[in-house]
Amino acid sequence: MEKERGNLLKALGTQVAEPLRAMVVGAPLEDAQHLAQRYDRMRQEAEAQAIEVSKRQAKVREMPGNAENAMKLEAAEAKLQDLKTNMNILGKEAAAALSAVEAQQQRLTLQRLIAMVEGGACLSSDSLTNS
Protein backbone atom coordinates (compact mmCIF):
# COMPACT_ATOMS: atom_id res chain seq x y z
CA MET A 1 0.00 0.00 0.00
CA GLU A 2 2.83 2.41 0.86
CA LYS A 3 4.58 1.54 -2.39
CA GLU A 4 1.40 2.33 -4.36
CA ARG A 5 1.06 5.62 -2.52
CA GLY A 6 4.66 6.48 -3.33
CA ASN A 7 4.13 5.57 -6.99
CA LEU A 8 0.99 7.70 -7.12
CA LEU A 9 2.78 10.68 -5.57
CA LYS A 10 5.67 10.26 -7.99
CA ALA A 11 3.26 10.10 -10.92
CA LEU A 12 1.47 13.19 -9.64
CA GLY A 13 4.75 15.05 -9.46
CA THR A 14 6.05 14.06 -12.88
CA GLN A 15 2.77 14.15 -14.79
CA VAL A 16 1.06 17.15 -13.16
CA ALA A 17 3.20 19.30 -10.88
CA GLU A 18 6.33 19.59 -13.03
CA PRO A 19 4.47 20.41 -16.28
CA LEU A 20 2.32 22.96 -14.45
CA ARG A 21 5.43 24.56 -12.97
CA ALA A 22 6.93 24.75 -16.47
CA MET A 23 3.75 26.40 -17.79
CA VAL A 24 3.75 29.00 -15.05
CA VAL A 25 7.20 30.18 -16.01
CA GLY A 26 6.75 29.48 -19.74
CA ALA A 27 7.27 31.92 -22.58
CA PRO A 28 3.57 32.50 -23.49
CA LEU A 29 2.76 33.52 -19.94
CA GLU A 30 5.82 35.77 -19.72
CA ASP A 31 4.88 37.39 -23.03
CA ALA A 32 1.34 38.01 -21.79
CA GLN A 33 2.67 39.47 -18.53
CA HIS A 34 5.01 41.79 -20.44
CA LEU A 35 2.11 42.99 -22.58
CA ALA A 36 0.06 43.64 -19.44
CA GLN A 37 2.97 45.56 -17.88
CA ARG A 38 3.43 47.63 -21.06
CA TYR A 39 -0.30 48.38 -21.02
CA ASP A 40 -0.09 49.52 -17.40
CA ARG A 41 2.88 51.81 -18.14
CA MET A 42 1.07 53.25 -21.17
CA ARG A 43 -2.06 53.82 -19.06
CA GLN A 44 0.01 55.73 -16.51
CA GLU A 45 1.57 57.79 -19.30
CA ALA A 46 -1.90 58.54 -20.69
CA GLU A 47 -3.07 59.69 -17.25
CA ALA A 48 -0.06 62.01 -16.98
CA GLN A 49 -0.73 63.30 -20.50
CA ALA A 50 -4.39 63.96 -19.63
CA ILE A 51 -3.20 66.12 -16.73
CA GLU A 52 -0.85 67.95 -19.13
CA VAL A 53 -3.75 68.58 -21.52
CA SER A 54 -5.84 69.99 -18.66
CA LYS A 55 -3.02 72.36 -17.67
CA ARG A 56 -2.58 73.52 -21.26
CA GLN A 57 -6.33 74.05 -21.63
CA ALA A 58 -6.28 76.24 -18.52
CA LYS A 59 -3.39 78.30 -19.97
CA VAL A 60 -5.26 78.78 -23.22
CA ARG A 61 -8.35 79.96 -21.31
CA GLU A 62 -6.23 82.33 -19.19
CA MET A 63 -4.50 83.82 -22.23
CA PRO A 64 -6.80 83.56 -25.23
CA GLY A 65 -5.17 84.42 -28.52
CA ASN A 66 -1.71 83.17 -27.51
CA ALA A 67 -0.74 81.08 -30.56
CA GLU A 68 2.13 79.30 -28.80
CA ASN A 69 -0.13 78.03 -26.00
CA ALA A 70 -2.73 76.92 -28.55
CA MET A 71 -0.11 74.97 -30.53
CA LYS A 72 1.21 73.32 -27.38
CA LEU A 73 -2.35 72.36 -26.43
CA GLU A 74 -2.95 70.85 -29.86
CA ALA A 75 0.28 68.85 -29.62
CA ALA A 76 -0.60 67.63 -26.13
CA GLU A 77 -4.09 66.62 -27.27
CA ALA A 78 -2.68 64.79 -30.29
CA LYS A 79 -0.21 62.93 -28.08
CA LEU A 80 -3.02 61.98 -25.69
CA GLN A 81 -5.12 60.69 -28.58
CA ASP A 82 -2.18 58.60 -29.85
CA LEU A 83 -1.65 57.17 -26.38
CA LYS A 84 -5.33 56.30 -26.07
CA THR A 85 -5.32 54.58 -29.47
CA ASN A 86 -2.15 52.62 -28.72
CA MET A 87 -3.41 51.77 -25.26
CA ASN A 88 -6.63 50.39 -26.73
CA ILE A 89 -4.71 48.19 -29.19
CA LEU A 90 -2.23 47.01 -26.56
CA GLY A 91 -5.01 46.34 -24.07
CA LYS A 92 -6.78 44.07 -26.57
CA GLU A 93 -3.51 42.24 -27.32
CA ALA A 94 -2.74 41.77 -23.62
CA ALA A 95 -6.24 40.53 -22.85
CA ALA A 96 -6.14 38.08 -25.78
CA ALA A 97 -2.69 36.80 -24.76
CA LEU A 98 -3.74 36.30 -21.14
CA SER A 99 -6.94 34.53 -22.22
CA ALA A 100 -4.96 32.25 -24.54
CA VAL A 101 -2.51 31.37 -21.77
CA GLU A 102 -5.35 30.69 -19.34
CA ALA A 103 -7.12 28.44 -21.84
CA GLN A 104 -3.87 26.60 -22.62
CA GLN A 105 -3.15 26.08 -18.93
CA GLN A 106 -6.66 24.77 -18.29
CA ARG A 107 -6.42 22.31 -21.21
CA LEU A 108 -3.00 21.07 -20.17
CA THR A 109 -4.01 20.79 -16.53
CA LEU A 110 -7.02 18.70 -17.50
CA GLN A 111 -4.90 16.50 -19.77
CA ARG A 112 -2.33 15.97 -17.01
CA LEU A 113 -4.98 15.16 -14.44
CA ILE A 114 -6.65 12.67 -16.80
CA ALA A 115 -3.27 11.08 -17.50
CA MET A 116 -2.59 10.85 -13.78
CA VAL A 117 -5.98 9.31 -13.07
CA GLU A 118 -5.55 6.83 -15.89
CA GLY A 119 -2.04 6.07 -14.62
CA GLY A 120 -3.44 5.59 -11.12
CA ALA A 121 -6.05 3.22 -12.50
CA CYS A 122 -3.29 1.22 -14.17
CA LEU A 123 -1.32 1.18 -10.91
CA SER A 124 -4.39 -0.07 -9.04
CA SER A 125 -5.18 -2.78 -11.58
CA ASP A 126 -1.51 -3.87 -11.59
CA SER A 127 -1.53 -4.20 -7.84
CA LEU A 128 -4.71 -6.25 -7.97
CA THR A 129 -3.26 -8.65 -10.51
CA ASN A 130 -0.02 -8.91 -8.54
CA SER A 131 -1.84 -9.65 -5.27
Side-chain angles (χ1 to χ4, degrees):
M1 190 70 134
E2 282 298 314
K3 186 177 178 182
E4 282 184 41
R5 182 175 177 268
N7 288 341
L8 187 59
L9 289 174
K10 183 178 178 183
L12 177 65
T14 58
Q15 293 181 4
V16 178
E18 289 174 18
L20 288 176
R21 195 173 303 115
M23 281 189 311
V24 167
V25 294
L29 180 59
E30 287 181 16
D31 291 344
Q33 289 172 333
H34 288 300
L35 283 172
Q37 289 169 350
R38 282 181 43 211
Y39 175 81
D40 190 49
R41 285 192 301 272
M42 192 173 289
R43 182 188 53 76
Q44 290 172 356
E45 189 177 342
E47 288 173 357
Q49 189 63 30
I51 292 169
E52 181 66 22
V53 166
S54 294
K55 289 178 183 178
R56 298 234 177 251
Q57 287 172 338
K59 281 187 179 182
V60 167
R61 282 192 301 267
E62 289 172 6
M63 294 184 255
N66 186 324
E68 184 180 345
N69 284 344
M71 287 188 332
K72 287 181 180 179
L73 173 59
E74 286 179 26
E77 288 173 335
K79 183 177 179 181
L80 178 59
Q81 187 57 45
D82 285 345
L83 283 169
K84 285 181 178 180
T85 300
N86 292 335
M87 196 173 76
N88 190 20
I89 293 167
L90 188 59
K92 288 177 183 176
E93 289 177 13
L98 287 170
S99 293
V101 167
E102 180 181 14
Q104 176 192 24
Q105 287 182 345
Q106 288 174 355
R107 275 192 315 275
L108 290 174
T109 300
L110 179 61
Q111 291 170 356
R112 299 294 181 189
L113 289 172
I114 290 170
M116 184 194 69
V117 168
E118 288 173 350
C122 290
L123 287 174
S124 296
S125 64
D126 288 346
S127 65
L128 290 175
T129 56
N130 291 337
S131 300

mmCIF file of all heavy atoms in Angstrom, residues 38-69:
data_model
loop_
_atom_site.group_PDB
_atom_site.id
_atom_site.type_symbol
_atom_site.label_atom_id
_atom_site.label_comp_id
_atom_site.label_asym_id
_atom_site.label_seq_id
_atom_site.Cartn_x
_atom_site.Cartn_y
_atom_site.Cartn_z
ATOM 1 N N ARG A 38 3.329 46.513 -20.098
ATOM 2 C CA ARG A 38 3.431 47.629 -21.056
ATOM 3 C C ARG A 38 2.134 48.420 -21.086
ATOM 4 O O ARG A 38 2.135 49.653 -21.153
ATOM 5 C CB ARG A 38 3.764 47.109 -22.455
ATOM 6 C CG ARG A 38 5.222 46.748 -22.617
ATOM 7 C CD ARG A 38 5.584 46.248 -24.008
ATOM 8 N NE ARG A 38 4.994 46.999 -25.083
ATOM 9 C CZ ARG A 38 4.656 46.473 -26.257
ATOM 10 N NH1 ARG A 38 4.854 45.197 -26.506
ATOM 11 N NH2 ARG A 38 4.127 47.227 -27.203
ATOM 12 N N TYR A 39 1.007 47.711 -21.041
ATOM 13 C CA TYR A 39 -0.295 48.376 -21.016
ATOM 14 C C TYR A 39 -0.412 49.262 -19.781
ATOM 15 O O TYR A 39 -0.855 50.401 -19.870
ATOM 16 C CB TYR A 39 -1.432 47.348 -21.035
ATOM 17 C CG TYR A 39 -2.791 47.983 -20.892
ATOM 18 C CD1 TYR A 39 -3.431 48.552 -21.979
ATOM 19 C CD2 TYR A 39 -3.423 48.046 -19.647
ATOM 20 C CE1 TYR A 39 -4.668 49.158 -21.851
ATOM 21 C CE2 TYR A 39 -4.658 48.658 -19.506
ATOM 22 C CZ TYR A 39 -5.274 49.208 -20.610
ATOM 23 O OH TYR A 39 -6.492 49.820 -20.467
ATOM 24 N N ASP A 40 0.001 48.750 -18.634
ATOM 25 C CA ASP A 40 -0.087 49.519 -17.397
ATOM 26 C C ASP A 40 0.783 50.774 -17.462
ATOM 27 O O ASP A 40 0.350 51.858 -17.063
ATOM 28 C CB ASP A 40 0.315 48.649 -16.199
ATOM 29 C CG ASP A 40 0.002 49.321 -14.884
ATOM 30 O OD1 ASP A 40 -1.146 49.807 -14.722
ATOM 31 O OD2 ASP A 40 0.894 49.383 -14.018
ATOM 32 N N ARG A 41 2.010 50.627 -17.997
ATOM 33 C CA ARG A 41 2.879 51.806 -18.143
ATOM 34 C C ARG A 41 2.269 52.830 -19.101
ATOM 35 O O ARG A 41 2.300 54.032 -18.848
ATOM 36 C CB ARG A 41 4.272 51.404 -18.626
ATOM 37 C CG ARG A 41 5.136 50.755 -17.550
ATOM 38 C CD ARG A 41 6.585 50.635 -17.981
ATOM 39 N NE ARG A 41 6.785 49.856 -19.189
ATOM 40 C CZ ARG A 41 6.964 48.540 -19.245
ATOM 41 N NH1 ARG A 41 6.973 47.837 -18.118
ATOM 42 N NH2 ARG A 41 7.154 47.929 -20.388
ATOM 43 N N MET A 42 1.683 52.346 -20.190
ATOM 44 C CA MET A 42 1.067 53.248 -21.166
ATOM 45 C C MET A 42 -0.146 53.945 -20.552
ATOM 46 O O MET A 42 -0.388 55.128 -20.808
ATOM 47 C CB MET A 42 0.675 52.480 -22.413
ATOM 48 C CG MET A 42 0.304 53.389 -23.573
ATOM 49 S SD MET A 42 0.024 52.493 -25.106
ATOM 50 C CE MET A 42 1.684 51.992 -25.513
ATOM 51 N N ARG A 43 -0.905 53.220 -19.732
ATOM 52 C CA ARG A 43 -2.064 53.818 -19.055
ATOM 53 C C ARG A 43 -1.616 54.944 -18.126
ATOM 54 O O ARG A 43 -2.206 56.012 -18.093
ATOM 55 C CB ARG A 43 -2.825 52.739 -18.266
ATOM 56 C CG ARG A 43 -4.080 53.265 -17.562
ATOM 57 C CD ARG A 43 -4.687 52.218 -16.639
ATOM 58 N NE ARG A 43 -3.760 51.654 -15.686
ATOM 59 C CZ ARG A 43 -3.320 52.259 -14.583
ATOM 60 N NH1 ARG A 43 -3.723 53.474 -14.294
ATOM 61 N NH2 ARG A 43 -2.490 51.659 -13.773
ATOM 62 N N GLN A 44 -0.515 54.700 -17.395
ATOM 63 C CA GLN A 44 0.009 55.733 -16.506
ATOM 64 C C GLN A 44 0.483 56.955 -17.302
ATOM 65 O O GLN A 44 0.260 58.100 -16.900
ATOM 66 C CB GLN A 44 1.156 55.171 -15.669
ATOM 67 C CG GLN A 44 0.707 54.161 -14.636
ATOM 68 C CD GLN A 44 1.869 53.465 -13.941
ATOM 69 O OE1 GLN A 44 3.027 53.670 -14.276
ATOM 70 N NE2 GLN A 44 1.554 52.613 -12.983
ATOM 71 N N GLU A 45 1.114 56.684 -18.443
ATOM 72 C CA GLU A 45 1.566 57.785 -19.296
ATOM 73 C C GLU A 45 0.370 58.571 -19.838
ATOM 74 O O GLU A 45 0.405 59.800 -19.904
ATOM 75 C CB GLU A 45 2.405 57.224 -20.449
ATOM 76 C CG GLU A 45 3.091 58.294 -21.270
ATOM 77 C CD GLU A 45 3.981 57.724 -22.366
ATOM 78 O OE1 GLU A 45 4.345 56.529 -22.307
ATOM 79 O OE2 GLU A 45 4.301 58.489 -23.290
ATOM 80 N N ALA A 46 -0.698 57.879 -20.196
ATOM 81 C CA ALA A 46 -1.899 58.544 -20.692
ATOM 82 C C ALA A 46 -2.534 59.400 -19.597
ATOM 83 O O ALA A 46 -3.014 60.509 -19.868
ATOM 84 C CB ALA A 46 -2.901 57.520 -21.220
ATOM 85 N N GLU A 47 -2.534 58.904 -18.368
ATOM 86 C CA GLU A 47 -3.070 59.689 -17.249
ATOM 87 C C GLU A 47 -2.256 60.964 -17.054
ATOM 88 O O GLU A 47 -2.816 62.048 -16.856
ATOM 89 C CB GLU A 47 -3.075 58.861 -15.967
ATOM 90 C CG GLU A 47 -4.118 57.760 -15.949
ATOM 91 C CD GLU A 47 -4.004 56.835 -14.742
ATOM 92 O OE1 GLU A 47 -3.078 57.000 -13.921
ATOM 93 O OE2 GLU A 47 -4.852 55.934 -14.623
ATOM 94 N N ALA A 48 -0.927 60.841 -17.124
ATOM 95 C CA ALA A 48 -0.058 62.011 -16.983
ATOM 96 C C ALA A 48 -0.300 62.992 -18.137
ATOM 97 O O ALA A 48 -0.329 64.214 -17.931
ATOM 98 C CB ALA A 48 1.401 61.581 -16.942
ATOM 99 N N GLN A 49 -0.494 62.444 -19.347
ATOM 100 C CA GLN A 49 -0.735 63.302 -20.503
ATOM 101 C C GLN A 49 -2.082 64.007 -20.392
ATOM 102 O O GLN A 49 -2.220 65.162 -20.786
ATOM 103 C CB GLN A 49 -0.655 62.496 -21.803
ATOM 104 C CG GLN A 49 -0.686 63.328 -23.052
ATOM 105 C CD GLN A 49 0.506 64.263 -23.173
ATOM 106 O OE1 GLN A 49 1.590 63.978 -22.683
ATOM 107 N NE2 GLN A 49 0.298 65.394 -23.821
ATOM 108 N N ALA A 50 -3.076 63.337 -19.825
ATOM 109 C CA ALA A 50 -4.388 63.961 -19.626
ATOM 110 C C ALA A 50 -4.272 65.148 -18.670
ATOM 111 O O ALA A 50 -4.908 66.191 -18.880
ATOM 112 C CB ALA A 50 -5.382 62.937 -19.096
ATOM 113 N N ILE A 51 -3.445 65.003 -17.657
ATOM 114 C CA ILE A 51 -3.200 66.120 -16.730
ATOM 115 C C ILE A 51 -2.515 67.267 -17.468
ATOM 116 O O ILE A 51 -2.870 68.441 -17.292
ATOM 117 C CB ILE A 51 -2.357 65.639 -15.521
ATOM 118 C CG1 ILE A 51 -3.183 64.675 -14.668
ATOM 119 C CG2 ILE A 51 -1.852 66.818 -14.701
ATOM 120 C CD1 ILE A 51 -2.391 63.934 -13.605
ATOM 121 N N GLU A 52 -1.553 66.931 -18.329
ATOM 122 C CA GLU A 52 -0.852 67.946 -19.126
ATOM 123 C C GLU A 52 -1.834 68.686 -20.035
ATOM 124 O O GLU A 52 -1.772 69.909 -20.155
ATOM 125 C CB GLU A 52 0.260 67.283 -19.957
ATOM 126 C CG GLU A 52 1.059 68.227 -20.798
ATOM 127 C CD GLU A 52 1.898 69.219 -19.998
ATOM 128 O OE1 GLU A 52 2.217 68.960 -18.818
ATOM 129 O OE2 GLU A 52 2.245 70.281 -20.570
ATOM 130 N N VAL A 53 -2.746 67.955 -20.657
ATOM 131 C CA VAL A 53 -3.749 68.581 -21.524
ATOM 132 C C VAL A 53 -4.610 69.544 -20.707
ATOM 133 O O VAL A 53 -4.885 70.667 -21.146
ATOM 134 C CB VAL A 53 -4.614 67.517 -22.236
ATOM 135 C CG1 VAL A 53 -5.861 68.129 -22.866
ATOM 136 C CG2 VAL A 53 -3.791 66.794 -23.300
ATOM 137 N N SER A 54 -5.016 69.125 -19.522
ATOM 138 C CA SER A 54 -5.838 69.993 -18.657
ATOM 139 C C SER A 54 -5.107 71.278 -18.311
ATOM 140 O O SER A 54 -5.694 72.375 -18.336
ATOM 141 C CB SER A 54 -6.221 69.265 -17.376
ATOM 142 O OG SER A 54 -7.070 68.196 -17.660
ATOM 143 N N LYS A 55 -3.829 71.164 -17.992
ATOM 144 C CA LYS A 55 -3.020 72.357 -17.672
ATOM 145 C C LYS A 55 -2.934 73.286 -18.878
ATOM 146 O O LYS A 55 -3.077 74.501 -18.749
ATOM 147 C CB LYS A 55 -1.616 71.955 -17.223
ATOM 148 C CG LYS A 55 -1.550 71.314 -15.867
ATOM 149 C CD LYS A 55 -0.123 70.923 -15.539
ATOM 150 C CE LYS A 55 -0.020 70.203 -14.209
ATOM 151 N NZ LYS A 55 1.366 69.784 -13.912
ATOM 152 N N ARG A 56 -2.705 72.705 -20.044
ATOM 153 C CA ARG A 56 -2.584 73.519 -21.264
ATOM 154 C C ARG A 56 -3.916 74.170 -21.612
ATOM 155 O O ARG A 56 -3.954 75.309 -22.075
ATOM 156 C CB ARG A 56 -2.075 72.665 -22.417
ATOM 157 C CG ARG A 56 -0.699 72.096 -22.159
ATOM 158 C CD ARG A 56 0.245 72.445 -23.266
ATOM 159 N NE ARG A 56 1.591 71.949 -22.954
ATOM 160 C CZ ARG A 56 2.595 72.728 -22.630
ATOM 161 N NH1 ARG A 56 2.440 74.040 -22.583
ATOM 162 N NH2 ARG A 56 3.781 72.224 -22.366
ATOM 163 N N GLN A 57 -5.016 73.459 -21.381
ATOM 164 C CA GLN A 57 -6.331 74.052 -21.625
ATOM 165 C C GLN A 57 -6.559 75.248 -20.709
ATOM 166 O O GLN A 57 -7.101 76.276 -21.137
ATOM 167 C CB GLN A 57 -7.433 73.013 -21.406
ATOM 168 C CG GLN A 57 -7.525 71.981 -22.491
ATOM 169 C CD GLN A 57 -8.492 70.854 -22.171
ATOM 170 O OE1 GLN A 57 -8.804 70.593 -21.002
ATOM 171 N NE2 GLN A 57 -8.949 70.160 -23.201
ATOM 172 N N ALA A 58 -6.135 75.127 -19.469
ATOM 173 C CA ALA A 58 -6.277 76.237 -18.521
ATOM 174 C C ALA A 58 -5.456 77.442 -18.978
ATOM 175 O O ALA A 58 -5.922 78.588 -18.901
ATOM 176 C CB ALA A 58 -5.847 75.796 -17.126
ATOM 177 N N LYS A 59 -4.242 77.203 -19.471
ATOM 178 C CA LYS A 59 -3.392 78.297 -19.966
ATOM 179 C C LYS A 59 -4.030 78.988 -21.155
ATOM 180 O O LYS A 59 -3.991 80.219 -21.268
ATOM 181 C CB LYS A 59 -2.004 77.780 -20.351
ATOM 182 C CG LYS A 59 -1.086 77.558 -19.188
ATOM 183 C CD LYS A 59 0.312 77.215 -19.671
ATOM 184 C CE LYS A 59 1.244 77.019 -18.495
ATOM 185 N NZ LYS A 59 2.620 76.740 -18.914
ATOM 186 N N VAL A 60 -4.619 78.201 -22.043
ATOM 187 C CA VAL A 60 -5.260 78.784 -23.224
ATOM 188 C C VAL A 60 -6.455 79.632 -22.803
ATOM 189 O O VAL A 60 -6.689 80.716 -23.347
ATOM 190 C CB VAL A 60 -5.672 77.684 -24.230
ATOM 191 C CG1 VAL A 60 -6.613 78.212 -25.299
ATOM 192 C CG2 VAL A 60 -4.439 77.072 -24.876
ATOM 193 N N ARG A 61 -7.206 79.177 -21.803
ATOM 194 C CA ARG A 61 -8.348 79.963 -21.309
ATOM 195 C C ARG A 61 -7.882 81.236 -20.614
ATOM 196 O O ARG A 61 -8.531 82.276 -20.714
ATOM 197 C CB ARG A 61 -9.193 79.121 -20.349
ATOM 198 C CG ARG A 61 -10.110 78.135 -21.055
ATOM 199 C CD ARG A 61 -11.135 77.534 -20.105
ATOM 200 N NE ARG A 61 -10.535 76.833 -18.973
ATOM 201 C CZ ARG A 61 -10.260 75.520 -18.934
ATOM 202 N NH1 ARG A 61 -10.528 74.770 -19.982
ATOM 203 N NH2 ARG A 61 -9.734 74.981 -17.868
ATOM 204 N N GLU A 62 -6.746 81.155 -19.897
ATOM 205 C CA GLU A 62 -6.226 82.328 -19.191
ATOM 206 C C GLU A 62 -5.709 83.377 -20.165
ATOM 207 O O GLU A 62 -5.841 84.574 -19.916
ATOM 208 C CB GLU A 62 -5.077 81.918 -18.255
ATOM 209 C CG GLU A 62 -5.505 81.136 -17.047
ATOM 210 C CD GLU A 62 -4.310 80.591 -16.265
ATOM 211 O OE1 GLU A 62 -3.148 80.918 -16.594
ATOM 212 O OE2 GLU A 62 -4.547 79.817 -15.322
ATOM 213 N N MET A 63 -5.080 82.907 -21.251
ATOM 214 C CA MET A 63 -4.499 83.824 -22.227
ATOM 215 C C MET A 63 -5.013 83.502 -23.627
ATOM 216 O O MET A 63 -4.294 82.931 -24.449
ATOM 217 C CB MET A 63 -2.971 83.705 -22.205
ATOM 218 C CG MET A 63 -2.321 84.171 -20.922
ATOM 219 S SD MET A 63 -0.539 84.109 -21.042
ATOM 220 C CE MET A 63 -0.184 82.670 -20.044
ATOM 221 N N PRO A 64 -6.267 83.846 -23.893
ATOM 222 C CA PRO A 64 -6.798 83.561 -25.226
ATOM 223 C C PRO A 64 -6.026 84.354 -26.288
ATOM 224 O O PRO A 64 -5.573 85.473 -26.046
ATOM 225 C CB PRO A 64 -8.259 84.005 -25.151
ATOM 226 C CG PRO A 64 -8.388 84.825 -23.922
ATOM 227 C CD PRO A 64 -7.217 84.532 -23.042
ATOM 228 N N GLY A 65 -5.869 83.736 -27.427
ATOM 229 C CA GLY A 65 -5.173 84.425 -28.515
ATOM 230 C C GLY A 65 -3.682 84.164 -28.543
ATOM 231 O O GLY A 65 -3.001 84.571 -29.488
ATOM 232 N N ASN A 66 -3.136 83.491 -27.531
ATOM 233 C CA ASN A 66 -1.708 83.168 -27.511
ATOM 234 C C ASN A 66 -1.496 81.941 -28.397
ATOM 235 O O ASN A 66 -1.863 80.817 -28.038
ATOM 236 C CB ASN A 66 -1.255 82.907 -26.068
ATOM 237 C CG ASN A 66 0.246 82.706 -25.950
ATOM 238 O OD1 ASN A 66 0.864 82.120 -26.836
ATOM 239 N ND2 ASN A 66 0.812 83.171 -24.852
ATOM 240 N N ALA A 67 -0.900 82.150 -29.562
ATOM 241 C CA ALA A 67 -0.741 81.085 -30.559
ATOM 242 C C ALA A 67 0.161 79.964 -30.052
ATOM 243 O O ALA A 67 -0.077 78.781 -30.329
ATOM 244 C CB ALA A 67 -0.190 81.666 -31.856
ATOM 245 N N GLU A 68 1.194 80.319 -29.306
ATOM 246 C CA GLU A 68 2.128 79.303 -28.800
ATOM 247 C C GLU A 68 1.421 78.342 -27.847
ATOM 248 O O GLU A 68 1.591 77.121 -27.939
ATOM 249 C CB GLU A 68 3.313 79.962 -28.107
ATOM 250 C CG GLU A 68 4.359 78.970 -27.660
ATOM 251 C CD GLU A 68 5.550 79.632 -26.966
ATOM 252 O OE1 GLU A 68 5.709 80.858 -27.068
ATOM 253 O OE2 GLU A 68 6.289 78.888 -26.320
ATOM 254 N N ASN A 69 0.616 78.888 -26.929
ATOM 255 C CA ASN A 69 -0.132 78.030 -26.004
ATOM 256 C C ASN A 69 -1.128 77.143 -26.746
ATOM 257 O O ASN A 69 -1.310 75.975 -26.395
ATOM 258 C CB ASN A 69 -0.860 78.880 -24.957
ATOM 259 C CG ASN A 69 0.070 79.416 -23.883
ATOM 260 O OD1 ASN A 69 1.194 78.941 -23.736
ATOM 261 N ND2 ASN A 69 -0.398 80.417 -23.145
#
